Amino acid sequence: MSGIYIHIPFCKQACHYCDFHFSTSMEKKEAMLGALEKELMLRKGEFANEEVETIYFGGGTPSVLTSMEIKQLIDAVYANYTVSEDPEITLEANPDDLTNITLSTVEGLGTNVFEVYLQAGINRLSIGIQSFFEEDLKLMNRAHNAQEAQSSIREASKYFNNISIDLIYGMPDMSDARWRENIQKALSFGVPHISSYALTVEPKTALARFIEKGVVAPLDDEVAQAHFNILLKEMEAAGFESYEISNFGKPGYFSKNNTAYWQQKKYIGIGPSAHSYDGVRRGWNINNNPKYIKSIGKNELPMEVEVLSNTDKYNEYVMTGLRTIWGVSLEKINAENGPKFKEYALQQAQKHIEEHLLYIDNDTLLATKKGRFLADGIAADLFMVNLS
């Protein structure tokens, strides 16, 4: 299995917590679309023997593109790659783009935006709700309001079965009761997938400045952990499986795109700041729109590449594996990295096993419910730094 990720580096406005690469100016949108198409063509040789099973539009805000522009990029994938018969094609969308659509944007392909997306090839929507409360949305500087959050899901559900929504927890002044209400509101729409993330303070974001100046209260790790525990309980009761720390799916609705990342499948990242992985190397494109466009225009890939060492591969496997229900296979470490790495992993894991944060089942290291929220820190304890 392999996938293609396409980064759309445009947003209407900057969310206060976001440090992803984007621009609020659409001035270079046409040139960017041309560059994205060309990068797809320039890199087709990387997947000459691969079948593409997932196409994912991320950002930024992919739903700022018109339907024809999205179709144009999907057509470019089909023109240059071998695509499976039933690929998962996901579009990240903001609620305001799904509720404030005009017929002029639809461009004759359908009577509403959802029909147009379906005709363009999109079969999975990931809607950036984040919260159903107005005060949370204002704090985050989201472009949509609470009413649009609800109406976007309600309307999308008439056309799409495969819908995911995003929620954020651990926000300043968010009580346990309000977080439960957010979860229950999300569940009331019957969507089969929910992604939920703890609010984090990234350097150089507006949120970081607000906290530094005392405008917003500092984030509390204990609150975030309490919210995570509530999330696990509520989602499990609703029949969802926590197949990765931040991702909950009904049976048959796990994200194929995200699962491929965690299981270290191959993928190509198209667009500024996009990352790629081929099993041996990792690459990342420059995170500058004008420089990206200029480089692609000269048939040059604006990408830095790192060849992964045996230690790098081990560390990445541990980091991703502990976050998932599939865990970290000690047999796989032994086979792919060597017995010293397996011995080291077991040695480093022992204290976490004694603290009931990890356990071993069928020669696989797994995080307990208590350990799930701490998985990234536990993984760091298992990282290898002195073997090649």
Side-chain angles (χ1 to χ4, degrees):
M1 175 181 174
S2 59
I4 293 178
Y5 170 85
I6 302 175
H7 188 81
I8 308 301
F10 301 110
C11 288
K12 291 179 180 176
Q13 62 191 52
C15 296
H16 287 161
Y17 58 88
C18 182
D19 71 338
F20 291 160
H21 173 67
F22 66 91
S23 171
T24 55
S25 170
M26 304 289 176
E27 181 182 353
K28 296 185 180 295
K29 188 175 77 164
E30 185 176 345
M32 178 61 69
L33 287 169
L36 294 174
E37 279 193 88
K38 190 168 185 179
E39 187 184 0
L40 282 165
M41 182 270 293
L42 290 173
R43 300 183 64 183
K44 63 183 180 181
E46 296 177 34
F47 273 5
N49 300 313
E50 301 284 336
E51 186 174 74
V52 174
E53 295 189 7
T54 65
I55 303 169
Y56 192 99
F57 289 88
T61 310
S63 57
V64 300
L65 298 185
T66 68
S67 53
M68 286 301 293
E69 289 166 343
I70 293 168
K71 185 176 185 301
Q72 173 183 337
L73 292 171
I74 293 175
D75 288 346
V77 173
Y78 274 87
N80 291 285
Y81 299 82
T82 301
V83 181
S84 67
E85 285 189 17
D86 186 27
E88 176 188 87
I89 306 181
T90 302
L91 178 80
E92 290 183 354
N94 277 358
D96 48 299
D97 293 325
L98 301 180
T99 53
N100 296 332
I101 198 72
T102 62
L103 288 178
S104 61
T105 308
V106 174
E107 296 160 341
L109 288 181
T111 59
N112 61 57
V113 66
F114 303 108
E115 288 186 356
V116 173
Y117 284 161
L118 287 168
Q119 290 181 37
I122 302 297
N123 53 31
R124 182 175 184 270
L125 286 180
S126 176
I127 307 176
I129 300 296
Q130 315 309 353
S131 176
F132 292 100
F133 288 91
E134 205 68 57
E135 55 265 45
D136 296 338
L137 297 173
K138 288 180 179 178
L139 174 64
M140 291 185 277
N141 198 40
R142 295 292 292 171
H144 68 279
N145 58 40
Q147 182 180 349
E148 290 169 332
Q150 296 188 51
S151 60
S152 65
I153 305 172
R154 193 176 297 115
E155 290 302 310
S157 297
K158 296 176 182 178
Y159 299 89
F160 284 83
N161 295 321
N162 200 349
I163 296 174
S164 177
I165 65 174
D166 289 351
L167 294 176
I168 290 180
Y169 60 86
M171 296 185 60
D173 301 321
M174 177 183 276
S175 66
D176 290 355
R178 192 164 91 202
W179 175 230
R180 282 194 182 91
E181 191 173 342
N182 249 331
I183 297 170
Q184 289 304 317
K185 175 64 73 173
L187 292 172
S188 71
F189 292 100
V191 296
H193 190 281
I194 293 176
S195 295
S196 190
Y197 308 92
L199 182 66
T200 56
V201 183
E202 302 294 347
K204 300 180 181 180
T205 60
L207 179 61
R209 293 193 297 271
F210 292 157
I211 291 175
E212 184 180 344
K213 293 178 180 179
V215 177
V216 173
L219 304 188
D220 188 328
D221 288 342
E222 290 186 5
V223 169
Q225 183 160 8
H227 286 180
F228 179 74
N229 292 335
I230 290 170
L231 178 68
L232 285 180
K233 184 177 180 180
E234 297 289 332
M235 297 304 290
E236 183 178 319
F240 284 75
E241 187 161 11
S242 174
Y243 66 103
E244 192 268 347
I245 288 177
S246 301
N247 287 268
F248 302 80
K250 288 283 186 74
Y253 287 95
F254 293 1
S255 167
K256 293 180 181 179
N257 174 80
N258 294 349
T259 298
Y261 292 158
W262 301 318
Q263 295 184 339
Q264 299 175 308
K265 307 296 185 182
K266 297 179 182 180
Y267 60 90
I268 289 176
I270 301 295
S273 81
H275 285 231
S276 303
Y277 175 70
D278 66 3
V280 177
R281 299 168 299 173
R282 286 204 177 276
W284 53 95
N285 285 347
I286 191 170
N287 61 349
N288 180 293
N289 288 2
K291 289 182 179 179
Y292 168 81
I293 293 169
K294 183 177 180 180
S295 180
I296 294 295
K298 295 189 293 185
N299 296 326
E300 297 174 358
L301 296 177
M303 179 192 299
E304 291 187 49
V305 176
E306 173 190 21
V307 177
L308 299 178
S309 67
N310 194 27
T311 299
D312 292 333
K313 292 176 183 178
Y314 163 82
N315 288 343
E316 290 201 5
Y317 176 53
V318 168
M319 179 178 66
T320 55
L322 280 185
R323 294 179 60 92
T324 73
I325 59 171
W326 303 287
V328 174
S329 168
L330 296 170
E331 180 182 349
K332 179 177 178 180
I333 289 175
N334 186 69
E336 297 186 3
N337 306 101
K340 288 185 179 180
F341 284 83
K342 177 182 177 179
E343 180 181 341
Y344 180 80
L346 279 169
Q347 175 187 326
Q348 295 299 106
Q350 191 57 45
K351 63 179 179 181
H352 298 294
I353 293 173
E354 293 171 0
E355 294 172 359
H356 305 291
L357 301 175
L358 293 178
Y359 67 101
I360 297 177
D361 181 40
N362 195 27
D363 209 29
T364 299
L365 275 174
L366 297 147
T368 64
K369 284 188 177 181
K370 181 181 176 182
R372 295 293 295 277
F373 185 75
L374 305 172
D376 288 347
I378 295 171
D381 282 350
L382 270 62
F383 285 174
M384 179 73 74
V385 293
N386 60 354
L387 284 182
S388 60

